[in-house]
Amino acid sequence: MENKNYKNYTIEEIKCSISKGINNEEIKEEDEICYEEAEKIIKKQLKNDPNNKELLFLLGLVQYGIYSSSGDEGKSIETFKKLLRLDYEKDKVLYYLAVLYYYNKPNSKILIKKIIK
């Protein structure tokens, strides 16, 4: 899903594209987003409201899409940990943290137990 035509996506466009990806829906070319550009847009929005839980969750999903396959999942993990501290929908946040740790970290079972405690 690589799109070299960067544009200023709206938060709704980012949400829609991420949702389609999560739900394994067909993503049409016009629905594709550049995750790196989406990350910049969300971070810019977060400067005005750094604890906006909805935006942070969206950022975590975008970072998950960018970094989980490259082995550089630290940014996504930190975003999801912040959401845990903010008490945002723990079931969703723990799911993504567990997946990130399970597939990318040695001794992942130990780390997952630490997160849950």
Side-chain angles (χ1 to χ4, degrees), residues 14-81:
I14 295 169
K15 282 181 186 177
C16 181
S17 183
I18 298 269
S19 178
K20 285 181 178 185
I22 289 171
N23 295 323
N24 294 318
E25 294 178 31
E26 180 181 350
I27 299 176
K28 298 175 185 166
E29 189 174 334
E30 64 268 16
D31 293 331
E32 290 183 4
I33 63 167
C34 171
Y35 281 89
E36 289 84 0
E37 195 66 21
E39 181 182 33
K40 290 177 191 174
I41 292 165
I42 296 167
K43 283 183 174 182
K44 186 176 179 180
Q45 292 285 322
L46 282 166
K47 285 182 181 177
N48 298 324
D49 187 4
N51 290 325
N52 182 312
K53 296 173 189 178
E54 297 284 330
L55 283 176
L56 282 168
F57 187 70
L58 190 57
L59 177 63
L61 293 177
V62 167
Q63 291 171 329
Y64 176 85
I66 297 171
Y67 303 111
S68 63
S69 61
S70 70
D72 183 22
E73 68 286 335
K75 291 180 182 181
S76 186
I77 288 172
E78 288 308 311
T79 300
F80 285 122
K81 281 182 170 182

Side-chain angles (χ1 to χ4, degrees), residues 50-53 56 79-90:
N51 290 325
N52 182 312
K53 296 173 189 178
L56 282 168
T79 300
F80 285 122
K81 281 182 170 182
K82 181 173 182 174
L83 283 163
L84 276 181
R85 290 189 299 275
L86 293 172
D87 200 30
Y88 178 79
E89 299 189 35
K90 288 187 177 185

Side-chain angles (χ1 to χ4, degrees), residues 3 5 9 12 16 22 59-60 67 73-74 82 101 107 117:
N3 184 355
N5 298 320
Y9 302 105
E12 287 306 313
C16 181
I22 289 171
L59 177 63
Y67 303 111
E73 68 286 335
K82 181 173 182 174
Y101 278 121
N107 303 316
K117 289 182 180 181

